[in-house]
Amino acid sequence: MTYVVTDNCIACKYTDCVEVCPVDCFYEGENMLVIHPDECIDCGVCEPECPADAIRPDTEPDMDDWVEFNRKYSEMWPVITQRKDPLPEAEARDGEPDKRGKYFSEAAGAGD
């Protein structure tokens, strides 16, 4: 099992989760984070830290697409291990449906 970052992280990018990750498996895009599914050790400490409830276990229904999405972008984006401020629109966008279709950017973030 692994954890993955899902749609609700897009356009929010809270980074509370990266500070608690013991294996540094978070990667930063321009407007979201992803988890490398092969590096995640399934400890689960990141899930309750996410204010947007965007981190889910891959055992939930319909997570296969998100596992591959996280894998793809974790191999393209830089690692992030330190907390940063969320995006300015985070509070307004939190919980908005279909953020992947509306706001997702493939561009890499700055990383650490």
Side-chain angles (χ1 to χ4, degrees):
M1 186 172 106
T2 186
Y3 283 84
V4 293
V5 180
T6 61
D7 195 64
N8 210 38
C9 184
I10 300 168
C12 289
K13 198 165 84 169
Y14 292 104
T15 58
D16 306 64
C17 53
V18 303
E19 284 191 320
V20 299
C21 180
V23 294
D24 301 336
C25 66
F26 281 88
Y27 293 81
E28 183 182 15
E30 179 180 38
N31 68 354
M32 77 172 297
L33 305 174
V34 292
I35 296 172
H36 195 301
D38 297 334
E39 295 173 2
C40 176
I41 60 171
D42 186 30
C43 68
V45 296
C46 60
E47 185 180 23
E49 295 299 317
C50 180
D53 194 31
I55 300 173
R56 312 302 316 153
D58 71 342
T59 54
E60 288 188 359
D62 303 318
M63 286 294 126
D64 291 342
D65 182 50
W66 283 109
V67 171
E68 290 313 309
F69 179 93
N70 277 247
R71 181 184 316 281
K72 176 181 177 179
Y73 290 102
S74 65
E75 293 174 358
M76 297 170 56
W77 294 344
V79 70
I80 179 173
T81 60
Q82 297 177 19
R83 188 184 180 286
K84 298 178 182 182
D85 290 335
L87 296 176
E89 66 270 19
E91 196 171 306
R93 299 272 188 241
D94 188 1
E96 187 176 324
D98 191 33
K99 293 197 302 183
R100 185 172 167 184
K102 293 187 241 181
Y103 308 117
F104 175 68
S105 168
E106 289 190 341
D112 285 341

